[in-house]
Amino acid sequence: LLAPTAELIAPGAFESMSQEGVRRVVVTMAALLLSPMCYKGNLSALRFLCFASVSSVLLVGCLLGYRALSVAGKEHEIS
């Protein structure tokens, strides 16, 4: 699920990489972005993290919906 999302956000940026390479890049970028939030000194510093987490869930939901609607009604094969 990570590789298609990365390809949707940055089309053509990962063409020369394998799916495993794309996954590693995306996981590394996510870890770098989220690690400062893990080292907060107190709970009140995390109050804005709620908005970021809800936003990320909504973004993933929208991307999945877009992806599903783009292939809706087309014949496809599940392997």
Side-chain angles (χ1 to χ4, degrees), residues 9-51:
I9 293 171
F14 302 106
E15 286 180 356
S16 62
M17 297 179 71
S18 66
Q19 289 290 327
E20 182 64 28
V22 173
R23 284 189 191 104
R24 288 181 185 202
V25 168
V26 171
V27 168
T28 302
M29 289 173 33
L32 289 174
L33 287 172
L34 295 175
S35 63
M37 297 177 204
C38 295
Y39 301 112
K40 298 294 182 182
N42 54 21
L43 288 177
S44 65
L46 298 175
R47 66 183 175 266
F48 298 112
L49 196 58
C50 173
F51 300 112

